[in-house]
Structure formats: structure tokens, C-alpha cells
């Protein structure tokens, strides 16, 4: 294996967003030697865009109440023991970030700010933020903390193309990747690996997710025999800017924004008569979609208005400076004076790599945390502010476990024929004569998934999607790099196409088999929730080109399924 | 409308050139970044540029657009007539096409030790005013636009640059940070705060509207005050 650099780490973290950085900081603290690999610079990660995080530390609040809200919000598909860990640990773990540099909003007396309302589906105003730059501050502070340690090596703008197992076959061994600048191959041996690669939103046309969010880590795990859990549950955020998909955060509704249709009505009273705009996201998104379908979108078009005029200039400038700037820059609208056109956009993937309550997958030494993982704490629908919480709590837990595992593990031995196979695969894509351009195929996937696996699904639609994706899969064997250059962006795009194809297959396969509607998964042909048959998680396995699915029960503790009314 | 893009393979044996692409009217192509993505998808998949969020938040897509340094995702095509020329950021080594090597930028940022080290009491009271100050300067997305526009960076290779000085100030105003005097001392030289030309170019172009020059001037004032009080 000439021309391949080799390095060995105790803990290899793949993905440099808040999950990856929180894991790295924790692993460093536990004494591990850490390698952090990211295909974009960590500060460019999606999680830097997040707006607030929930924590039940305030007087008058309780983690039990937060846990119940989360269980109900998940449409009872969330695993309750894990949710209790999420909410209980969240009481300390969120404020703990202040020791790394984060500084949450205070009021004039120095107390933590309490917003006027609980965010979507929350019974108490527990969202904690740094105005609307929360994700950025957490990302930047954790990055600064991690980089200050000499126990960590950052590989930024490196692409991981496959995980590798120890030759014993029963634990992780590391990963193979390449430096985007120059294309040099790197063999990363690792005693433990933590996948923190985020979601898969780029499989949709209208998504709030950044361009690099192509589900890479989910596919890396799937290819090692680890199942993807609950992939049919995709969240559509109700308020993406209509003309661009940039997110208008839930924070707008938490400070009192209304959703208005063409008749000027606050239509959410029809779909969630108590919480209205602050019902969980799947309910609000479906409400908006229904209004549009019935012709009550603004001017008959496919958007409604997010109206903050009554909230007032002072509150808007205080709580939503970034949000206001986004609406001005990308929609030409100042929310102080005008209503903002919004429509649902894909936003989050509740499903992902199956992990246990310690962030461990079925493959010893392989962990996952953040949006790419499914513990499951979000079940069929995630509440706003719980994603950052998930990332903070479970990245910490996974890293502790991974460090402990690594400290007791020997250096792995890798199977050189598997490594060579992968090097061959990459080389064949890079040097393919007359290789085709991956982008038209990527667009086909996006169009197909958006049409058939969106907010409302049918058996016919999903079958049609699977047929089209199969064709894409066949065609994707012909993509290649047009010009062999120093910068390997083209190779990365070809690999992303392959990942998106797998994600598309995973979503459609899981969705077509779940014959009920629950949370964000809505079947026009099976519109009711069916707890008798479907109170269970789907687990999708991939063996070479074949998928098989199995199911496991939901962990129900003190909260049996109830009616999901808001 | 024409897009004229700087191209270089990254191989020192190849000469840089400008490629021209004709842009057709397309309602989905609204910003310069949209145009780049569209060209890459339909004309030339080897076109190399950095992008992530597309929403003015991550700082990936800073570049020269008709000789002005901007974020491509936040620059609408409608603000131009005729040809739009795209070039990589100045003051930084070139990697390929519109991608530059940001190592000099990160290296300077880490030179000011941007890390909270605190002996603060857990019950230290921090008011909303103090929090606002930290937030105002800590919201820097490290896009390197200020670094690229700074005239001092062009003539003094050792200069710390606007972003590093701004980041140092973010910690100076954070009451939890225990390194106040060391931080002042560390930038007290010609390659630090005294090298700034005070031309406000950085403040003018910052996409987050951070008053960067103010951070530098206030650091100078703090230093002068400490020296006059002879507590240094």
C-alpha cells in the first residue's frame, strides 16, 4: 500500500459539528488521543446554524415534564428510558457548555432569560439561547476548546469513503479516506470510531440542510452491517422561506408570530386548537400543507405568511436579529413591517444509525451521536430545541464510552485486501474514461424523493420512487471524474451521489412498509396511528445490494401511548 | 449575463485562466452561489468552490465578486449588469479555482489563544449588557473577509489581522476570562493592535456587522489606561 499515509488514534471522530466537537472534547478529557475528520472545516458545519437548546434547569420546571413533552411530541415512538436520560442530563449538560466559553442570554439582573412561551410542544419556556446565534457559539467555543489540546489532530477537508473492521470481524478497526487537497489516501486506524456526520436532508429538493449534508455517516455504518433505524421519519419544518428554503426558526413563533392564510385567518386553530402555532412541527407543517392544498395559500400560491408585525420592533431586534437579517437578505422582507412568506421544508432526520443508550452501535467500538444517530429520543417527530440537546448529551455519553473502550483495546489489525479493494474502487471512479456527471442523477433523486417521500406518502408513490432510484443506482455505476485535478471535489461529489442513492432507498423502503401514520410519517392510504401493530422501530439492514427490514418494540415506561392533541 | 470565473488546476505547471459562462434567466438561480452551483451541475463539474449553508451563516463562500469581497450566497445576481467576475480571496495562498488555503488565517486566530480560561466563581453575576458585548464580538463566523480586505495584511506578513484581534477582544470583555493582562500584553506590538491603519475596511465588509475596528481601538484604549495606571 504505497502512497497511503497511516495513522492510529484511540478515538476517531468523523464529523466536526457540535456532536463531533463535543465528543472530541469529552474524549480528550478522558485522556484519549483523538483524530477529528471532517469534509468541511468544523466551523462550516450545519449545527452552527441552530437557534436554541432546551434545558429544564429553571425554577418551576422539571426534567420529568420535559421528558413527557418529548415522549408525546415523538408520537410515542421515542424510547422513554433514553428520553429520560436526555432530559435529566440536559439540566446540567447545557449550562456546562458555559465553561467552554458559551454565554447564554441573561436579563438585567443576571438571571438566565426565560422566553415568553414554551417552543413547539413544550409545556414550559425552557429554551435557552445566545439570542439566535446559539449553535454558532456552542460550535465556536467547543472548536476553540478542542483545538487548544495537543491530544487532538484535526483533519479538515478530508473525505472518509469507508469504515474498516478489525480482521477479527467483531470490532471496528478504523476508516479509509482522502485529503480533498491533493487526493492523498489516508488509512486511519482507530480503537474506537464515533460517527457524528449529521443528517441526510440533501436527498430532498427543498431542505434547510447545507449542501454537504448527504448522510455519509449513515451509509458508512449501514455498509458495515449496522442497521438504520426509523428512516421513514423525516421532519419537515413548517417555516422555510418560500423562495429559498432558508429556515425561519421556531424562535419566531416562540416570541409570538402568527401563521396566516389568504383569508387572513390564524388557521392553526383548526389543527391544534390549544397550542396553535406552537404545536409540534409535523402538525404545523401538515396544517400549512392542507391550507395550500385547499387553495388558501397567499394569492392561491404554495406559501402562507409568518406574521410578526404585532410582536413589535423591540422584541424582534432583541430575540431575532439573525432571523430578521435572513428574511431581509433572502426574501427582501423586513419582518418588522411585513409578513414573511413561508412554506414547509425538509429539516431533520429523526431516524439514523441504531445506537443504544450509550451511543454504541452493534459493532463493538463503533459509536454514533447527533442527527446521524437514532437512540431513539425523537421517535416520530422531534421537538424544537431538542436536537442541540440530543447532540450535547449523547455526544458526551458516547465519547465517554468510546474512550473507556479504547483504553482497554489493542491496536486493531486491518485486512489489507479489503483496504486494497476500497483503494481500487476510488481509483476506478477517479480514472473512469468518459465517466458521466453525477449532478443530473443527484437531481433525479431529489425530485423523486421530494415528490414521493415528502409530507404525504402512498404505496404507489413510494413504489414508483423505488423504481426510479433503482435506475439511478444502475446509472451511478458510470459516473466519473471529468478532470483529474489537485482538488478532489469531483470524486467527493460522486461518492455523495452514491450515499444519497442509498439514503433514498432506505427512506422509501422503510416508508413503504410502515402502513400507518405517526408523527411526521403520513400515509394517505393509512391515515391513522396503529399502536396495535406499529408501536415499534424499523431497522433496515443492507447486505451487499439487498435490504431487509426487521422491527423492535418501543421502550415504554411510565407513559403509555395517549391521544396526541394540542 | 456572463459569469467570468478564475480557474487554476492547482498544478504549478498549469497556467491560470478565466472561463466564461453564459447565464440563462432562471428563477431558481438568484445568487452568485446559485449560479456557481448551476454551472457546476450543467457545464463543468470540475468547477471548485467552497459552499455549505448557502444562508450567510457558515462563512464558506467568501470571494472577490467584481473586485469586492463578499459572501457569494448573499450576493444577488440582480445587483449586476453585464459580466460578473469571480476570483479567489486575496492575501491567502491559492489552492484551486476559487478555493484558498486558510491556514494563515487560522494560525493567526490561534496565536491569540482564543480559549476561555476561568477562575470565576460559579455565582458570578453577568448582566444582559455584558452578555451582549461578548455576543457582539463572539458572533464572528471566521469567513476571512476582513482578513482579505485589510491593507496591513498585504504589507506585513506578521500582522495578526482583524479577526484575531477581534477574537482577542471578545475574551477581553468576557468577565469570566482570567487572562486579561496577558491578552493585552500579547497584542501590544506593531504586528498586533498598533499596526492597524484604522481605515475601517474590515468593519465595512463584515457580513455579521461586527464593529471590528472598534474592538482594536478599544483594546488600544485599555492598554493605554493600564500603562498610565502603571499596573502593567
Amino acid at each position: 500500500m504505497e502512497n497511503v499515509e497511516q495513522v492510529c488514534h484511540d478515538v476517531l471522530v468523523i464529523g466536526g459539528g457540535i456532536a463531533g466537537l463535543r465528543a472530541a472534547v469529552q474524549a480528550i478529557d478522558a485522556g484519549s488521543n483523538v483524530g477529528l475528520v471532517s469534509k468541511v472545516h468544523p466551523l462550516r458545519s450545519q449545527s452552527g446554524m441552530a437557534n436554541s437548546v432546551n434545558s429544564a434547569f429553571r425554577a418551576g420546571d422539571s426534567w420529568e415534564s420535559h421528558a413527557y413533552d418529548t415522549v408525546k411530541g415523538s408520537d410515542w415512538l421515542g424510547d422513554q428510558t433514553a428520553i429520560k436520560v436526555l432530559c435529566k442530563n440536559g439540566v446540567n449538560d447545557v449550562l456546562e457548555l458555559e465553561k467552554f466559553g458559551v454565554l447564554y442570554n441573561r436579563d438585567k439582573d443576571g438571571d438566565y432569560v426565560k422566553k415568553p412561551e414554551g417552543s413547539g410542544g413544550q409545556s414550559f419556556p425552557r429554551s435557552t439561547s445566545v439570542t439566535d446565534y446559539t449553535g454558532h457559539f456552542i460550535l465556536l467555543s467547543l472548536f476553540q476548546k478542542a483545538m487548544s489540546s495537543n491530544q487532538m489532530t484535526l483533519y479538515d477537508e478530508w473525505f472518509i469513503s469507508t469504515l474498516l473492521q478489525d480482521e477479527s470481524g467483531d470490532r471496528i478497526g478504523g476508516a479509509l479516506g482522502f485529503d480533498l487537497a491533493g487526493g492523498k489516501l489516508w488509512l486511519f486506524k482507530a480503537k474506537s470510531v464515533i460517527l457524528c456526520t449529521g443528517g441526510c436532508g440533501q436527498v430532498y429538493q427543498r431542505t434547510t440542510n447545507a449542501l454537504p449534508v448527504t448522510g455519509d455517516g449513515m451509509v458508512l455504518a449501514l455498509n458495515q452491517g449496522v442497521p438504520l433505524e426509523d428512516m421513514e421519519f423525516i421532519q419537515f419544518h413548517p417555516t422555510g422561506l418560500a423562495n429559498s428554503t432558508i429556515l425561519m426558526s421556531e424562535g419566531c413563533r416562540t416570541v409570538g408570530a402568527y401563521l396566516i392564510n389568504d383569508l387572513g385567518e390564524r388557521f392553526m386553530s383548526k389543527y391544534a386548537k390549544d397550542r396553535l402555532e406552537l404545536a409540534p412541527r409535523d402538525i404545523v407543517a401538515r396544517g400549512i400543507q392542507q391550507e395550500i392544498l385547499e387553495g388558501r395559500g397567499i394569492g392561491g400560491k404554495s406559501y402562507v405568511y409568518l406574521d410578526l408585525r404585532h410582536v413589535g420592533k423591540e422584541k424582534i431586534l432583541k430575540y431575532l436579529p439573525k432571523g430578521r437579517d435572513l428574511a431581509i437578505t433572502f426574501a427582501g422582507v423586513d419582518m418588522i413591517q411585513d409578513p414573511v412568506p413561508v412554506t414547509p421544508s425538509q429539516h431533520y432526520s429523526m431516524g439514523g444509525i441504531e445506537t443504544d443508550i450509550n451511543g454504541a452501535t452493534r459493532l463493538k467500538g463503533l459509536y454514533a451521536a447527533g442527527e446521524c444517530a437514532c437512540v431513539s429520543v425523537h421517535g416520530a417527530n422531534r421537538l424544537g430545541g431538542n436536537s442541540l440537546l440530543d447532540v450535547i448529551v449523547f455526544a458526551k455519553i458516547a465519547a465517554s464510552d468510546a474512550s473507556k473502550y479504547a483504553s482497554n483495546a489493542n491496536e486493531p489489525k486491518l485486512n489489507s485486501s479489503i483496504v486494497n479493494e476500497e483503494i481500487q474502487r476510488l481509483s476506478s471512479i477517479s480514472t473512469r474514461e468518459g465517466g458521466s456527471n453525477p449532478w443530473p442523477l443527484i437531481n433525479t433523486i431529489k425530485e423523486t424523493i421530494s415528490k414521493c417521500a415528502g409530507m404525504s406518502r402512498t404505496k404507489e408513490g413510494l413504489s414508483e420512487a423505488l423504481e426510479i432510484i433503482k435506475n439511478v443506482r444502475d446509472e451511478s455505476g458510470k459516473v466519473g471524474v471529468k478532470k483529474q485535478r489537485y482538488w478532489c471535489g469531483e470524486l467527493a461529489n460522486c461518492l455523495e451521489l452514491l450515499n444519497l442513492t442509498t439514503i433514498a432507498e432506505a427512506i422509501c423502503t422503510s416508508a413503504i412498509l410502515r402502513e400507518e401514520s405517526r408523527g411526521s410519517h403520513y400515509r394517505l392510504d393509512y391515515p391513522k396511528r396503529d399502536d396495535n401493530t406499529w408501536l415499534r422501530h424499523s431497522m433496515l439492514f443492507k447486505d451487499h445490494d439487498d435490504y431487509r427490514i426487521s422491527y423492535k418494540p418501543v421502550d415504554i415506561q411510565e407513559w403509555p401511548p395517549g391521544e396526541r392533541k394540542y | 449575463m456572463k459569469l467570468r470565473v478564475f480557474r487554476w488546476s492547482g498544478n504549478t505547471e498549469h497556467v491560470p485562466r478565466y472561463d466564461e459562462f453564459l447565464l440563462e434567466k432562471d428563477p431558481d438561480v438568484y445568487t452568485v452561489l446559485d449560479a456557481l452551483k448551476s454551472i457546476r451541475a450543467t457545464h463543468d463539474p470540475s468547477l471548485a468552490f467552497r459552499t455549505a449553508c448557502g444562508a450567510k451563516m457558515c462563512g464558506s463562500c467568501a470571494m472577490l465578486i467584481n473586485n469586492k469581497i463578499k459572501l457569494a450566497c448573499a450576493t444577488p445576481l440582480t445587483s449586476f449588469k453585464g459580466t460578473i467576475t469571480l476570483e479567489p480571496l486575496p492575501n491567502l495562498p491559492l489552492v484551486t479555482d476559487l478555493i484558498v488555503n486558510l491556514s494563515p488565517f487560522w494560525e493567526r486566530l490561534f496565536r491569540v489563544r482564543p480559549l476561555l480560561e476561568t477562575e470565576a466563581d460559579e455565582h458570578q453575576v453577568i448582566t444582559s449588557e455584558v452578555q451582549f458585548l461578548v455576543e457582539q464580538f463572539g458572533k464572528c463566523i471566521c469567513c476571512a473577509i476582513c482578513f482579505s480586505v485589510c491593507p496591513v495584511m498585504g504589507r506585513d506578513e506578521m500582522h495578526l489581522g482583524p479577526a484575531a484581534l477581534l477574537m482577542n477582544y471578545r475574551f477581553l470583555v468576557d468577565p469570566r476570562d482570567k487572562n486579561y493582562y496577558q491578552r493585552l500584553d500579547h497584542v501590544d506590538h506593531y504586528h498586533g493592535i498598533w499596526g492597524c491603519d484604522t481605515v475601517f475596511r474590515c468593519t465595512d465588509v463584515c457580513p455579521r456587522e461586527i464593529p471590528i475596528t472598534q474592538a482594536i481601538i478599544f483594546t488600544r484604549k485599555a492598554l493605554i489606561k493600564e500603562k498610565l495606571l502603571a499596573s502593567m
Side-chain angles (χ1 to χ4, degrees), chain A residues 40-41 43-46 48-49 97-111 129-133 136-137 140-141 143-148 156-157 181 208-212 243 246-247 321-322 325-326 329-332 437-440 443 482-483 485-487 489-490 493, chain B residues 7-11 17 19 30-31 37 40-48 50-60 73-74 95-97 99 102 106 109-110 113-116 118 124-128 130-131 134-136 138-143 167 170-171 174-176 207-209:
Chain A
V40 296
H41 188 276
L43 291 185
R44 314 303 181 211
S45 301
Q46 177 80 55
M49 294 159 71
L97 296 177
E98 288 202 320
K99 75 176 192 229
F100 302 128
V102 179
L103 191 58
Y104 298 109
N105 289 114
R106 305 286 205 278
D107 62 24
K108 58 177 173 45
D109 300 318
D111 295 317
S129 26
V130 185
T131 311
D132 53 358
Y133 304 109
H136 166 77
F137 267 85
L140 184 59
S141 305
F143 175 68
Q144 288 165 339
K145 176 71 182 168
M147 293 299 288
S148 70
D156 92 86
E157 294 181 328
T208 63
N209 287 191
L211 206 63
N243 64 339
I246 287 170
L247 181 67
K322 183 183 87 178
D325 183 50
L326 287 173
T329 308
F330 294 101
N437 178 353
W439 294 102
N443 278 330
K482 184 177 176 208
K483 292 180 189 151
R485 304 176 96 214
Y486 179 73
W487 181 261
E490 277 197 81
N493 294 146
Chain B
R7 305 297 304 274
W8 182 51
S9 68
N11 183 332
R17 65 174 196 273
D19 279 352
Y30 180 64
T31 63
K37 282 154 85 168
R40 181 173 65 174
T42 55
H43 286 92
D44 190 350
S46 72
L47 180 58
R50 285 197 175 108
T51 175
C53 76
K56 206 179 159 181
M57 278 187 252
C58 69
S60 298
C73 69
V95 174
T96 184
D97 293 354
I99 297 181
L102 284 168
W106 300 118
L109 199 69
F110 285 106
R113 200 166 167 72
L115 176 70
L116 183 74
T118 181
Q124 177 182 30
V125 173
I126 297 175
T127 62
S128 52
V130 170
Q131 192 275 342
V134 172
E135 182 186 305
Q136 188 183 32
K139 64 183 182 181
C140 165
I141 54 178
C142 302
C143 61
M167 196 56 72
R170 169 255 176 278
F171 288 97
D174 191 329
R176 305 168 296 173
R208 280 261 156 118
E209 294 178 6

Side-chain angles (χ1 to χ4, degrees), chain B residues 64 67-69 89-92 105 108 144-166 190-206 212-213 216 220:
Chain B
L64 269 174
N67 232 17
K68 289 201 149 51
I69 305 183
L89 285 178
N91 286 339
L92 287 159
F105 175 84
R108 278 162 184 74
I145 289 182
C146 60
F147 185 98
S148 298
V149 88
C150 176
V152 185
M153 296 313 308
R155 65 164 190 266
D156 175 11
E157 251 186 34
M158 297 277 295
H159 188 58
L160 277 173
L165 293 173
L166 147 72
Y190 181 65
H191 303 303
I193 51 163
W194 302 111
C196 170
D197 281 352
T198 349
V199 288
F200 286 84
R201 282 195 207 167
C202 53
T203 303
D204 284 339
V205 299
C206 176
I212 305 173
T213 317
I216 297 171
R220 289 178 179 173

Side-chain angles (χ1 to χ4, degrees), chain A residues 145-417:
Chain A
K145 176 71 182 168
M147 293 299 288
S148 70
S149 166
N150 55 13
Q151 281 163 245
M152 179 164 115
T153 312
L154 175 69
Y155 304 90
D156 92 86
E157 294 181 328
W158 257 252
F159 195 103
I160 297 288
S161 70
T162 189
L163 292 177
L164 297 161
Q165 296 191 23
D166 177 74
E167 56 182 20
S168 64
D170 69 353
R171 68 169 173 122
I172 199 71
L176 183 82
F178 58 92
D179 183 351
L180 280 165
K184 192 152 192 64
L185 289 166
W186 279 69
L187 194 59
F188 294 94
K189 273 197 190 174
K191 297 178 182 175
S192 68
V193 174
I194 313 180
L195 290 166
C196 298
T197 52
C200 56
Q202 279 295 321
V203 81
Y204 286 84
Q205 257 169 335
R206 287 191 56 83
T207 174
T208 63
N209 287 191
L211 206 63
V213 182
T214 49
D216 297 349
M218 295 176 180
V219 177
L220 289 175
L222 188 65
N223 287 342
Q224 298 302 317
V226 173
L228 291 182
E229 184 178 345
D230 293 346
M231 286 304 285
E232 61 269 46
F233 295 102
I234 299 283
Q235 183 170 79
F236 296 88
H237 194 291
T239 57
L241 276 182
N243 64 339
S244 71
T245 80
I246 287 170
L247 181 67
M248 281 287 103
S249 79
E250 194 158 299
C252 299
R253 286 171 284 139
T254 315
V255 301
Y258 298 152
L259 282 167
I260 310 282
N261 64 15
D262 202 37
L263 305 170
E265 298 171 326
R266 261 182 95 182
F267 57 83
M268 280 310 299
S269 57
K270 289 185 263 184
Y271 307 98
K273 67 172 177 48
D274 293 326
R275 296 306 305 272
L276 290 138
E277 286 85 0
L278 290 170
R281 289 171 180 180
D282 57 319
I283 294 176
V284 182
R286 271 196 297 276
I288 295 177
Q289 191 193 40
Q290 195 60 27
E291 294 294 300
I292 292 169
L293 277 172
E294 290 177 11
R296 289 186 294 276
I298 308 299
K301 301 210 183 107
S302 40
Y303 57 84
V304 296
Y305 275 148
L306 184 70
D307 195 347
L308 286 109
R309 290 173 291 184
H310 58 282
V311 172
K313 181 172 172 178
E314 199 191 309
K315 255 189 176 168
I316 291 176
L317 291 177
K318 179 177 174 189
Y319 289 111
L320 301 167
K322 183 183 87 178
R324 174 173 172 255
D325 183 50
L326 287 173
I328 292 173
T329 308
F330 294 101
V333 169
D334 185 345
M335 54 173 66
I336 294 176
Q337 289 147 341
D338 292 306
V340 185
V342 295
T343 198
S345 293
Q346 192 280 348
H347 181 61
Y348 187 82
S349 169
M350 270 69 72
I353 302 166
E354 186 210 31
T355 73
D356 66 14
I357 212 165
N358 292 317
T361 68
R362 294 168 180 228
L363 180 57
K364 266 203 311 232
L366 181 63
Y367 297 79
E371 189 174 345
C372 71
C374 185
V375 187
S376 156
V377 289
H378 307 302
N381 172 68
R382 174 177 75 73
L383 296 181
N386 271 1
S387 172
L388 265 187
L389 179 63
D390 171 11
V391 153
I392 293 165
V393 169
F394 285 100
K396 186 179 174 186
I397 292 174
S400 298
D401 217 58
S403 286
K404 208 159 57 177
Y405 176 85
S407 65
N408 292 324
N410 295 324
E411 189 171 309
K413 288 203 180 65
L414 301 176
N415 182 326
S416 56
S417 62

